[in-house]
């Protein structure tokens, strides 16, 4: 090994060795404890970024650590390869999505291997591979057979740029989650998965996931949104039908003074027919269709409405109340109609105040009075009912039960449970996705593709323009097929599946990636599943994680797996952040585009140093992992990402921190190089009870084993684990290998033990270097076949001091004593030491001088 840490040679050497030996291949072994470790697989966008490096470094530390602890570890990798960016590339660069994706995978796979991540590449899956998406189609058909996949027309979120439908979860602040373009509402037929059939199980099972972060569970609970209440029927004045509303506050029914419908409600337009309001209502509904639903429903949005000209009857007061249409009521939630109680609901209060509608108090605070004519905001809390007929004076809780009983007895309402969760719309009008295996026949209707005809292969000869709907619809050879039932002319479904379908079950396929006859092989998947540790970004708390839980339950009900939940423990890592640089003339600048005095290379102007935020290409505050690997190597990149911040926190980039990590690894190299000949000599172990000169260093190594083990195992505190390794390295470098005459063997043993322990403990963090150092230390097998060090609780807990023993002022020995030792005990221990007694033979003792906790000096008289 060249002095100065030749990381390029070292890393290439050990990456080749690992690949040749199949070091990380996993097979089922019922006799061993298994551990399935998985990071969320990446989209093959072209290059990995520092977020990938951090995420995968976290997982790799765990994988290597657990293997050394004796676990049978499955640590696979694959590619979330379908999606819109490939189609964008086809348009921008004239590259077919399949080739663009394939080339990116080749490059990114090489990058991941250069990072030294311990993946079982024999299990690699790519979701754009027909061998994978065949089974996604198979699962679709199984859902269809069970009534869990169906087609209907609905108002959908439509991205004009992507020319495709977006799920509610893919709309962020009214914008497309991929390209941040405005989302509009559009009526389209599409396919849905009936995730609502599992709503209650998805909700209740969250309580059985103690290894998940609470914020993620809260987000899922809120998204599922269980509400226990009553559906109440409000008869329509002058008509035989009724409006049904859902409420959890039936105690406020006597305060309902008007009703509000969603603009998309089926009766919204028809109620105004023949009234003076008809034109105004039609214009309002048309305008609402062009507005984003999320913005409309936002708490701070301006509340707008229009009177339909129709009335309903409050079933409890028997009063005629006007029916309005409001921008903030959504068809997807509840029934798409609400009773408006302005005295007890702030949104209703704002509408009533704006349009001069009556406010009648139904619930008041206990011990206080409120007046609908003078109140300046709604009272939304619990209280006591007023002006509520026979229910006046009841508490809110009592009244909810009593009124629900009354409504059910009178046939006016029904107790029920509603969920905010809506069925998952999976239809996408784009090419690069998994084809939906359905054929449409004029005579037979909707016909599933026979299982033996799967997979439905994406055609290669397709024109991608992002205009005019699905590109597949323009490929006659794909669309026009015979009906599997009658043989007559029929058409394929041209929508493809939402890419989140692919990522909702890929973790199952990893367990048996080569299963030829089903998505999974039950004996293999039941050995590995569930995933013991899942690692990924919190941005997937609702999207991917909820869908993956749903799919797991469906596959369970198909009898293919025996688990209820896919992921036992979940770690949501923080983002990698860096300050931004902005030139007044040229906008955001890359770090290499500014000088050391913070000026733009192009124009020389001073750049503005912006706030530290998530690394992004648009703001150019990025670090290319390839540049980092070329300058410092993979082990340095890994070490910095793990040391700079706890995994769950954001990591703030620091060039100085990277330099510091590199210097630390260089220092470890020198510790081995400087004593290579010494360390290569075989040494017999010395019991801890006999150690004196090397006792403190041995104990420090043992304490470090405990700290690093617990920090990795319990809370992913990799930063404090690395800090402990740095402390041990300091102690090793300061240790005196020579000492006093006669101590060489003991000191050599303690030093060798401490340095070898340091290298083993560092190996999950810096695997290439530690493999090399292990070999230099004379070891014949991989460091990762070594057992993880253990510690003795008695050794690490004992607090001891070393007391120097002198005879007539000259050091003749050392004794280890408890730190609480008193002077009397120090004197006795010194006189009892065998080496000291040899120096006292044939001498008389004149006196014993004790310096507390430091020294005992035995003064002798004349020889006897």
């Amino acid at each position: 090994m060249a002095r100065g840490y030749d990381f390029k040679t070292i890393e290439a050497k050990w990456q080749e060795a690992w690949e040749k030996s199949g070091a990380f291949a996993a097979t089922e072994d019922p006799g061993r404890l298994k551990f399935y470790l998985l990071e969320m697989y990446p989209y093959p966008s072209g290059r990995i970024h520092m977020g990938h490096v951090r995420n995968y470094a976290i997982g790799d530390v765990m994988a290597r650590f657990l293997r050394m602890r004796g676990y049978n570890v499955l640590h696979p990798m694959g590619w979330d390869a379908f999606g819109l960016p490939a189609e964008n590339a086809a348009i921008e660069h004239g590259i077919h999505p399949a080739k663009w994706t394939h080339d990116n995978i080749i490059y990114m796979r090489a990058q991941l291997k250069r990072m030294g991540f311990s993946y079982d590449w024999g299990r690699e899956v790519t979701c754009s591979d027909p061998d994978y998406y065949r089974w996604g189609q198979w699962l679709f058909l199984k859902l269809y057979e069970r009534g869990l996949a169906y087609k209907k027309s609905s108002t959908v979120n439509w991205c004009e740029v992507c020319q495709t439908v977006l799920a509610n979860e893919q709309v962020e602040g009214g914008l497309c989650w991929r390209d941040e373009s405005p989302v509009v509402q559009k009526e389209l037929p599409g396919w849905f998965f009936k995730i609502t059939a599992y709503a209650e199980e998805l909700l209740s099972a969250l309580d059985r996931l103690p290894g998940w972060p609470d914020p993620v569970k809260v987000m899922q609970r809120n998204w599922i949104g269980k509400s226990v209440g009553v559906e109440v029927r409000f008869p329509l004045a002058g008509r035989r039908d009724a409006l049904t509303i859902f409420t959890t506050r039936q105690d406020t029914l006597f305060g309902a003074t008007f009703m509000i419908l969603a603009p998309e409600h089926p009766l919204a337009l028809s109620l105004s027919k023949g009234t003076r309001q008809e034109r105004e209502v039609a214009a309002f509904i048309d305008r609402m269709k062009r507005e984003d639903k999320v913005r409309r429903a936002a708490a701070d949005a301006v509340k707008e409405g229009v009177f339909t000209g129709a009335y309903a009857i409050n079933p409890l007061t028997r009063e005629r109340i006007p029916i309005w249409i409001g921008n903030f009521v959504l068809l997807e939630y509840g029934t798409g109609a609400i009773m408006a109680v302005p005295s007890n609901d702030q949104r209703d209060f704002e509408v009533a105040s704006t349009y001069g509608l009556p406010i009648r108090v139904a619930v008041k605070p206990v011990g206080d009075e409120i007046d609908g004519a003078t109140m300046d905001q709604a009272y939304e809390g619990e209280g006591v009912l007023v002006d509520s007929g026979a229910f006046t004076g009841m508490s809110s809780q009592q009244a909810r039960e009593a009124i629900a009983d009354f409504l059910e007895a009178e046939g006016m309402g029904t107790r029920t449970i509603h969920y905010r969760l809506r069925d998952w719309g999976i239809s996408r009008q784009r090419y690069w996705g998994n084809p939906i295996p359905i054929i449409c026949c004029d005579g037979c209707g909707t016909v599933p593709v026979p299982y033996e005809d799967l997979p439905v292969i994406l055609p290669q000869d397709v024109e991608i323009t992002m205009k005019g709907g699905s590109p597949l619809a323009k490929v006659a050879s794909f669309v026009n097929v015979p009906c599997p039932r009658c043989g007559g002319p029929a058409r394929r479904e041209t929508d493809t599946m939402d890419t989140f379908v692919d990522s909702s079950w890929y973790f199952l396929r990893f367990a048996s990636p080569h299963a030829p006859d089903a998505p999974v092989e039950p004996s293999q998947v039941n050995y590995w599943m569930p995933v013991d540790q899942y690692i990924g970004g919190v941005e997937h708390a609702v999207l991917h994680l909820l869908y993956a839980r749903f799919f797991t339950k469906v596959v369970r009900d198909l009898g293919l797996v025996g688990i209820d939940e896919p992921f036992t423990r979940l770690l949501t890592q923080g983002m990698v952040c860096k300050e931004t640089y902005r030139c007044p003339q040229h906008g955001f600048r890359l770090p290499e585009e500014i000088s050391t005095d913070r000026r733009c290379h192009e124009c020389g102007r001073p750049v503005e140093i912006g706030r530290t935020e998530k690394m992004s290409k648009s703001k150019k505050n990025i670090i290319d992992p390839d540049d980092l690997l070329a300058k410092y190597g993979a082990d340095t990149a890994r070490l910095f990402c793990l040391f700079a911040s706890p995994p769950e926190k954001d990591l703030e980039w620091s060039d100085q921190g990277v330099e510091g990590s590199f210097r630390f690894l260089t220092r470890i190299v020198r510790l081995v190089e400087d004593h290579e000949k010494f360390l290569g000599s075989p040494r017999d172990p010395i019991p801890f009870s006999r150690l004196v000169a090397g006792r403190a260093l041995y104990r420090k190594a043992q304490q470090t084993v405990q700290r690093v083990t617990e920090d990795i195992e319990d809370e992913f505190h990799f930063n404090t684990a690395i800090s402990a390794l740095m402390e041990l390295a300091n102690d090793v470098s300061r240790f005196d290998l020579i000492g006093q005459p006669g101590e060489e063997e003991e000191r050599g043993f303690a030093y060798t033990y401490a340095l070898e322990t340091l290298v083993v403990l560092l190996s999950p963090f810096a695997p290439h270097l530690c493999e090399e150092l292990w070999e230099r230390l004379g070891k014949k097998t991989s460091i990762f076949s070594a057992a993880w060090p253990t510690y003795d609780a008695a050794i690490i807990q004992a607090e001891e001091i070393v007391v120097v023993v002198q005879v007539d002022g000259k050091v003749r020995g050392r004794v280890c004593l408890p730190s609480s030792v008193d002077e009397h005990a120090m004197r006795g221990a010194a006189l009892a030491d065998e080496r000291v007694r040899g120096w006292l033979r044939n001498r008389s003792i004149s006196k014993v001088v004790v310096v507390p906790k430091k020294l005992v000096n035995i003064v002798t008289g004349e020889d006897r």
Side-chain angles (χ1 to χ4, degrees):
M1 186 193 309
R3 187 175 297 276
Y5 182 21
D6 182 8
F7 59 84
K8 291 183 179 179
T9 301
I10 294 169
E11 291 177 359
K13 169 185 173 180
W14 289 106
Q15 288 162 17
E16 181 181 5
W18 294 332
E19 187 156 359
K20 282 185 177 178
S21 67
F24 312 121
T27 56
E28 298 75 31
D29 183 350
R32 296 173 62 195
L33 286 174
K34 69 90 181 179
F35 198 99
Y36 186 175
L37 177 74
L38 183 64
E39 303 100 46
M40 295 179 185
Y41 69 168
Y43 182 81
S45 57
R47 289 173 175 263
I48 65 171
H49 52 67
M50 289 311 302
H52 289 131
V53 173
R54 188 188 191 200
N55 186 6
Y56 302 149
I58 291 168
D60 198 58
V61 169
M62 291 298 301
R64 292 178 181 274
F65 166 75
L66 289 162
R67 287 190 188 100
M68 297 174 81
R69 297 271 280 179
Y71 284 90
N72 188 20
V73 176
L74 173 59
H75 189 209
M77 177 50 67
W79 309 98
D80 190 9
F82 275 138
L84 193 61
E87 296 187 40
N88 291 337
I91 295 172
E92 294 172 19
H93 307 296
I95 303 172
H96 194 281
K99 176 173 173 50
W100 185 83
T101 301
H102 179 262
D103 291 348
N104 288 350
I105 288 173
I106 291 174
Y107 190 87
M108 291 176 69
R109 184 192 298 119
Q111 285 185 299
L112 294 178
K113 288 184 177 182
R114 285 181 64 199
M115 288 300 306
F117 297 135
S118 59
Y119 295 127
D120 181 353
W121 286 105
R123 293 174 180 266
E124 181 180 15
V125 300
T126 301
C127 73
S128 59
D129 186 332
D131 286 340
Y132 180 81
Y133 71 70
R134 167 192 181 185
W135 299 112
Q137 295 172 7
W138 187 94
L139 289 168
F140 177 97
L141 294 179
K142 290 299 181 184
L143 268 73
Y144 179 77
E145 290 170 3
R146 290 173 169 250
L148 296 172
Y150 64 93
K151 193 171 189 178
K152 70 172 183 177
S153 290
S154 65
T155 301
V156 297
N157 303 306
W158 178 260
C159 176
E160 289 288 353
V161 173
C162 302
Q163 286 284 293
T164 192
V165 173
L166 302 176
N168 289 337
E169 299 92 326
Q170 295 169 315
V171 180
E172 299 174 350
L175 304 177
C176 173
W177 78 297
R178 284 199 183 276
D179 56 42
E180 298 185 347
S181 62
V183 174
V184 298
Q185 304 303 303
K186 190 172 183 177
E187 187 78 16
L188 279 180
W191 286 91
F192 289 79
F193 284 159
K194 198 171 184 180
I195 191 172
T196 53
Y198 289 83
E200 184 58 37
E201 185 181 359
L202 288 168
L203 181 65
S204 61
L206 289 170
D207 294 330
R208 299 188 292 278
L209 293 175
W212 281 42
D214 286 337
V216 173
K217 291 191 285 188
V218 167
M219 283 188 274
Q220 289 213 0
R221 285 192 183 97
N222 290 342
W223 191 260
I224 297 168
K226 181 179 181 178
S227 298
V228 179
V230 179
E231 283 188 350
V232 185
R233 287 178 287 281
F234 283 68
L236 293 172
R239 301 174 61 156
R240 292 185 176 181
D241 47 357
L243 277 176
T244 299
I245 63 98
F246 172 78
T247 181
T248 61
R249 291 297 305 270
Q250 58 269 25
D251 54 319
T252 66
L253 257 166
F254 283 85
T257 57
F258 58 103
M259 301 190 74
I260 309 177
L261 306 184
E264 300 83 9
H265 194 284
L267 294 178
L269 193 60
S270 64
L271 286 174
S272 66
K273 287 280 179 69
T275 72
R276 289 182 295 178
Q277 299 295 116
E278 184 174 357
R279 183 174 297 179
E280 187 179 356
V281 167
F284 181 83
I285 292 174
D286 185 61
R287 180 162 63 87
M288 289 301 107
K289 286 182 178 179
R290 297 193 299 272
E291 292 194 9
D292 173 58
K293 292 181 181 180
V294 176
R295 290 178 181 171
R296 279 168 39 193
D300 58 353
V302 175
K303 306 300 182 288
E304 296 184 72
V306 61
F307 177 44
T308 63
Y311 292 84
I313 307 298
N314 184 319
L316 295 188
T317 67
R318 308 308 301 170
E319 177 184 19
R320 272 176 32 121
I321 57 176
I323 302 172
W324 283 63
I325 299 171
N327 64 335
F328 64 91
V329 180
L330 303 181
L331 185 63
E332 290 82 3
Y333 304 136
T335 64
I338 66 169
M339 65 173 190
V341 186
S343 63
N344 299 109
D345 183 279
Q346 184 60 29
R347 295 184 310 171
D348 301 345
F349 179 86
E350 292 174 22
V351 173
S353 300
T354 300
Y355 296 103
L357 296 167
I359 300 174
R360 179 182 300 126
V361 176
V363 176
K364 71 180 185 71
V366 177
D368 198 3
E369 300 295 330
I370 53 176
D371 184 351
T374 59
M375 61 194 307
D376 56 7
Q377 65 179 16
Y379 173 69
E380 297 185 314
E382 299 279 295
V384 178
L385 271 65
V386 294
D387 299 328
S388 297
F391 308 100
T392 298
M394 288 186 181
S395 69
S396 292
Q397 184 174 355
Q398 290 174 319
R400 279 195 290 274
E401 292 301 314
I403 291 174
D405 289 341
F406 179 80
L407 292 170
E408 287 190 321
E410 297 295 321
M412 300 174 178
T414 306
R415 282 183 172 89
T416 190
I417 296 173
H418 275 229
Y419 296 92
R420 182 176 180 268
L421 180 69
R422 289 295 176 263
D423 284 341
W424 174 12
I426 66 156
S427 285
R428 299 294 179 267
Q429 292 67 44
R430 56 176 174 244
Y431 164 68
W432 195 236
N434 192 353
I436 293 175
I438 291 293
I439 292 172
C440 303
C441 173
D442 290 340
C444 303
T446 299
V447 182
V449 173
Y451 287 101
E452 60 269 21
D453 292 344
L454 298 181
V456 177
I457 298 287
L458 280 173
Q460 294 294 303
D461 54 337
V462 60
E463 181 183 11
I464 301 171
T465 63
M466 289 295 179
K467 299 187 183 299
S470 171
L472 291 174
K474 304 170 187 175
V475 182
S477 59
F478 175 82
V479 175
N480 299 317
V481 293
C483 172
R485 286 183 185 164
C486 69
R491 292 173 55 85
R492 284 197 193 279
E493 173 64 68
T494 58
D495 284 355
T496 55
M497 296 187 218
D498 181 4
T499 55
F500 280 99
V501 175
D502 307 309
S503 60
S504 293
W505 71 281
Y506 78 108
F507 46 89
L508 297 171
R509 186 67 178 173
F510 275 142
S512 53
H514 310 297
D517 301 319
V520 297
E521 200 290 311
S523 66
Q524 293 176 328
V525 77
N526 284 321
Y527 172 81
W528 289 113
M529 288 297 293
V531 174
D532 297 282
Q533 181 66 62
Y534 200 34
I535 303 171
V538 73
E539 66 271 18
H540 298 294
V542 172
L543 285 164
H544 162 59
L545 291 172
L546 187 64
Y547 295 156
R549 296 180 62 221
F550 163 62
F551 251 75
T552 299
K553 296 176 191 305
V554 170
V555 175
R556 174 203 63 194
D557 292 346
L558 291 173
L560 296 177
V561 298
I563 57 161
D564 298 322
E565 289 289 335
F567 315 120
T568 301
R569 295 175 68 191
L570 173 68
L571 173 66
T572 53
Q573 89 282 353
M575 299 180 293
V576 180
C577 303
K578 194 179 189 303
E579 61 189 4
T580 57
Y581 308 110
R582 188 180 182 91
C583 170
Q585 181 176 346
H586 297 101
F588 288 111
R589 302 274 82 188
L590 291 165
E592 59 268 26
E593 293 174 336
I594 64 171
S595 61
T596 54
D597 60 348
R598 304 281 176 89
R599 291 181 177 273
C600 175
H601 279 325
E602 197 163 343
C603 65
R605 293 186 179 184
V607 298
E608 174 189 343
I609 309 301
R611 64 188 178 92
T612 298
E613 52 188 301
K614 178 183 177 181
M615 285 187 178
S616 69
K617 292 180 182 178
S618 63
K619 296 185 178 178
K620 295 191 174 183
N621 61 335
I622 56 174
I623 298 294
D624 188 337
D626 282 352
D627 294 341
L628 200 63
L629 290 177
K631 188 174 182 180
Y632 295 105
D635 285 345
T636 295
R638 293 163 59 114
L639 193 71
F640 169 74
C641 287
L642 298 165
F643 180 57
S645 174
E648 72 277 7
K649 303 293 185 183
D650 289 347
L651 182 156
E652 185 172 339
W653 189 263
S654 165
D655 293 335
Q656 293 78 16
V658 176
E659 285 279 0
S661 296
F662 182 75
R663 286 196 303 271
F664 172 68
L665 294 180
T666 302
R667 189 173 167 212
I668 302 300
V669 172
R670 287 174 180 160
L671 282 175
V672 174
E673 282 187 339
D674 290 348
H675 304 286
E676 201 166 309
K677 292 181 181 179
F678 171 83
L679 292 167
S681 305
R683 297 186 180 278
D684 294 328
I686 300 174
F688 181 74
S689 60
R690 287 179 49 204
L691 288 177
V692 177
R695 195 178 185 89
L697 183 60
Y698 190 96
R699 172 179 288 113
K700 182 66 175 181
Q702 281 271 290
Q703 290 170 337
T704 306
V705 172
Q706 180 199 27
R707 286 180 60 185
V708 173
T709 302
E710 292 179 354
D711 284 346
I712 293 176
E713 196 170 44
D714 296 338
E715 298 294 338
F716 303 98
H717 288 164
F718 303 137
N719 57 325
T720 56
I722 295 169
S723 179
L725 293 172
M726 291 176 173
E727 290 178 21
L728 178 59
N730 288 337
D731 283 11
V732 170
S733 64
R734 288 194 294 258
F735 187 71
D736 182 1
L737 267 170
I738 307 302
Q740 299 295 317
E743 294 177 345
E744 292 86 351
E745 181 182 356
E746 179 186 328
R747 286 180 175 273
F749 167 73
Y751 184 88
T752 301
Y753 171 77
L755 187 56
E756 288 186 357
T757 298
L758 174 62
V759 172
V760 172
L761 296 179
L762 181 61
S763 63
F765 303 95
H768 308 88
L769 176 60
C770 292
E771 281 275 36
E772 182 71 18
L773 297 179
W774 195 243
E775 185 179 75
R776 286 284 173 167
L777 289 169
K779 311 302 181 181
K780 302 302 182 184
T781 57
S782 168
I783 194 170
F784 296 105
S785 64
W788 187 257
T790 59
Y791 58 89
D792 186 326
I795 294 175
I796 65 173
Q797 290 174 2
E799 292 292 337
E800 296 179 331
I801 58 173
V802 177
V803 175
V804 175
V805 182
Q806 297 177 340
V807 176
D808 295 328
K810 294 182 179 180
V811 176
R812 299 305 186 190
R814 290 176 174 82
V815 292
C816 292
L817 299 172
S819 59
S820 59
V821 68
D822 58 21
E823 293 182 27
H824 177 74
M826 287 176 63
R827 184 180 188 278
L831 292 172
D833 184 77
E834 288 186 11
R835 295 175 65 184
V836 173
R837 289 169 64 183
W839 286 100
L840 293 176
R841 191 173 293 116
N842 300 322
R843 295 189 183 188
S844 61
I845 299 174
S846 297
K847 63 178 178 179
V848 177
V849 178
V850 177
V851 179
K853 302 188 186 302
K854 290 186 178 180
L855 178 145
V856 176
N857 183 24
I858 304 169
V859 182
T860 64
E862 297 292 329
D863 291 348
R864 290 181 288 185

